[in-house]
Amino acid sequence: MMKKLTLDFYTRKDVIQIARDLIGKILVTHLPEGITSGRIVETEAYMGLTDRASHSFGGRRTARNEHMYASGGSSYVYICYGMHQMFNVVTNEKDVPDAVLVRALEPLEGVEIMLKRTGKKKLDYTLTRGPGNLGKALGIHKGLSGLDLRDERLFIADDGFNAKPEDIVVTKRIGVEPAGKDALLPYRFILRNNKYVSARKS
DNA sequence: CCGGGGATTATCT
DNA sequence: GATAATCCCCGGC
């Protein structure tokens, strides 16, 4: 049974714990094309103010990252490299810009719709592996930034799946080398042995 | 298997 | 004008 995560899940202060807890949950979009969903198998935590890899490091606040400062339980979607729609879960209280980047899903509902959106011919591990790919497959775009994650169009739910603690692997984050020593922080969580996890070395 | 580079454009300086 | 929380393809071994 699917149960939307409630606000108290998101407003906790420990973004690292929330990133870990999101492993195994289900991300759902219900847009005009239909319902698409997938199980979250890879996340990264971004510790707003103190994390050089975060868009909001040092309190930086611009039109792009404004939604990071919303209260926990809303979305932050931004465009990377001019073409990829990156989906983040905003956590903590209002004005504390912590967020979790969702990096990979295992497809569940609406595979046909995802194939149409991505132009792929058949389901394989590339459909929802990597933040750019999953954003495209689920139809996520900048216009969905700032939504409450209990919205009908975009929400996260629990279906009772419970990852064993030993099946959650922790590594450093991907693609954040310019952040210097902060790039080495153990803020990435993946579900062990899942083929949809982005395949780069940790 | 691995590294290099091009795609493509919103965003910020 | 430079950069970017990426992805894909290609060539070399």
Side-chain angles (χ1 to χ4, degrees), chain A residues 19 22-30 35-44 85-89 100-111 114 117-118 120 123-140 154-157 161 188-191 193-199:
Chain A
L22 280 169
I23 296 293
K25 299 296 186 287
I26 301 181
L27 175 61
V28 183
T29 58
H30 188 173
I35 293 176
T36 45
S37 71
R39 188 176 310 285
I40 296 170
V41 298
E42 176 176 357
T43 61
E44 283 179 357
Q85 311 279 340
M86 313 282 275
F87 171 73
N88 296 253
V89 175
V100 177
L101 172 67
V102 177
R103 292 189 54 88
L105 303 175
E106 177 176 337
L108 294 174
E109 290 180 274
V111 170
M114 297 192 220
R117 283 182 181 138
T118 56
K120 292 179 190 291
L123 172 61
D124 68 14
Y125 66 90
T126 67
L127 185 63
T128 51
R129 179 186 73 162
N133 289 332
L134 80 86
K136 193 170 185 183
L138 292 211
I140 291 170
L154 175 63
F155 62 91
I156 299 177
F161 179 92
R188 175 170 175 251
F189 298 91
I190 62 185
L191 190 57
N193 296 333
N194 188 282
K195 63 182 173 180
Y196 292 93
V197 168
S198 63

Side-chain angles (χ1 to χ4, degrees), chain A residues 91-183:
Chain A
T91 72
N92 212 317
E93 60 191 50
K94 181 166 162 38
D95 293 324
V96 180
D98 293 348
V100 177
L101 172 67
V102 177
R103 292 189 54 88
L105 303 175
E106 177 176 337
L108 294 174
E109 290 180 274
V111 170
E112 288 305 316
I113 298 169
M114 297 192 220
L115 291 172
K116 186 178 284 187
R117 283 182 181 138
T118 56
K120 292 179 190 291
K121 296 278 189 291
K122 62 179 177 55
L123 172 61
D124 68 14
Y125 66 90
T126 67
L127 185 63
T128 51
R129 179 186 73 162
N133 289 332
L134 80 86
K136 193 170 185 183
L138 292 211
I140 291 170
H141 56 85
K142 200 178 60 165
L144 299 175
S145 193
L147 281 192
D148 188 310
L149 288 175
R150 296 165 298 169
D151 196 283
E152 273 312 292
R153 289 167 289 173
L154 175 63
F155 62 91
I156 299 177
D158 188 337
D159 70 343
F161 179 92
N162 212 348
K164 294 191 185 79
E166 63 267 31
D167 286 338
I168 296 179
V169 181
V170 187
T171 78
K172 69 180 183 182
R173 294 172 293 183
I174 302 291
V176 294
E177 290 75 11
K181 64 176 169 49
D182 285 353

